[in-house]
Amino acid sequence: MTSLDCIEEVQNRISHSRQLITANELGSSDGLASWLSIRLPSGVSQWGSAPGTKPVINLWMELKEGEIVLEDSCPPRRIVHVASVKIRNKAGHMLVEAHQEMADGTIRLRNRPLSEKMKPGENVEEACFRGIFEELGSQLGARSRVRILLGSYSRKEEERESLSYPGLLTSYVIHSVDAIVDNLPETGFCTEEDELMYYNCSGSGVLPSEGSESFSGEVTVGVRKHFWRWVPQPS
């Protein structure tokens, strides 16, 4: 896969080689919860209640919006493509997200570079620009301050149990690039994520339209704050 390939094309290739379950087949987040409960030995009762976890509605939104695919297997497997951005400063230190504060006040440890799930139709460069904008904010992450170094592109795959959804095996396809973001703070800092805003192709944030879909009163758990630090890299 090159950096200009779209996630939609990759998802289509996966769907032809594996048996997948779709949002249309499940119908709702309740349908997804029922489907998971008979396939996961640990069930989903702790999702969204145990610290650092997310409720089923979050997974439903990922599936419905095309950010993931789910294999129809026992146990099921979640497959997600992730754009990972290795931002370095003049000293060569890499920006790492130490932890997140969720909207419900819980803390999720991260200790990884800025990362963002890719959306259908996005290529890696577009996903990186969006991730930087959403997680660093509209000022620190403004597109005019960002240079994506496409020549640094690499890809790797990891498979492990999801921390957000305990018991759910997840295959992460990680697309990594280096980037330079001008004028970031020189020491550790915190940014807030405004989940009422989303990134568009012009590099600015806009409010969703009034017709944005609601989920019958179910509440997703999103990120409120990101906590960043600079980490020296091995020479």
Side-chain angles (χ1 to χ4, degrees):
M1 174 173 176
T2 70
S3 60
L4 297 181
D5 283 336
C6 291
I7 185 63
E8 201 165 21
E9 297 172 3
V10 178
Q11 306 289 47
N12 287 338
R13 289 199 290 269
I14 292 173
S15 66
H16 283 92
S17 61
R18 301 174 182 174
Q19 184 65 40
L20 306 178
I21 189 73
T22 67
N24 285 340
E25 291 173 299
L26 294 168
S28 67
S29 60
D30 287 339
L32 174 59
S34 298
W35 182 84
L36 289 166
S37 294
I38 62 176
R39 288 168 172 78
L40 290 177
S42 57
V44 298
S45 60
Q46 296 300 307
W47 290 17
S49 57
T53 66
K54 296 180 180 179
V56 173
I57 183 64
N58 280 67
L59 185 66
W60 167 251
M61 287 186 65
E62 291 179 8
L63 181 63
K64 189 173 179 63
E65 294 179 2
E67 293 181 339
I68 65 165
V69 295
L70 283 176
E71 282 190 19
D72 191 0
S73 55
C74 290
R77 178 183 280 104
R78 169 178 171 250
I79 303 170
V80 55
H81 285 254
V82 177
S84 176
V85 191
K86 297 177 180 178
I87 299 170
R88 290 183 168 84
N89 61 14
K90 293 179 180 179
H93 298 174
M94 186 167 67
L95 187 67
V96 169
E97 184 177 26
H99 61 276
Q100 299 172 340
E101 179 184 324
M102 307 301 288
D104 61 2
T106 59
I107 299 297
R108 295 178 71 216
L109 297 179
R110 299 289 285 171
N111 291 318
R112 66 189 64 177
L114 188 152
S115 302
E116 189 72 24
K117 291 189 294 293
M118 294 177 65
K119 294 181 178 294
E122 275 189 328
N123 61 43
V124 175
E125 184 179 21
E126 292 165 344
C128 290
F129 275 122
R130 178 175 57 82
I132 291 169
F133 179 90
E134 292 179 356
E135 298 197 4
L136 294 185
S138 58
Q139 293 185 336
L140 290 180
R143 186 160 182 156
S144 60
R145 302 173 64 163
V146 178
R147 284 173 285 164
I148 304 293
L149 307 179
L150 291 178
S152 64
Y153 173 79
S154 64
R155 167 182 165 143
K156 67 177 180 179
E157 298 186 22
E158 299 177 354
E159 187 166 277
R160 60 182 183 272
E161 183 178 314
S162 170
L163 296 177
S164 299
Y165 310 111
L168 181 59
L169 185 64
T170 299
S171 294
Y172 298 91
V173 184
I174 303 171
H175 307 274
S176 298
V177 294
D178 291 349
I180 298 172
V181 181
D182 294 333
N183 301 318
L184 289 178
E186 296 181 359
T187 58
F189 61 100
C190 168
T191 56
E192 295 189 13
E193 182 161 334
D194 185 352
E195 297 204 322
L196 293 178
M197 301 288 284
Y198 67 88
Y199 179 83
N200 65 19
C201 60
S202 67
S204 60
V206 295
L207 288 170
S209 66
E210 293 181 0
S212 296
E213 184 173 6
S214 66
F215 289 87
S216 303
E218 295 180 274
V219 179
T220 60
V221 177
V223 178
R224 178 186 294 158
K225 294 181 180 180
H226 303 269
F227 293 82
W228 307 96
R229 61 190 178 97
W230 294 103
V231 177
Q233 298 301 290
S235 56

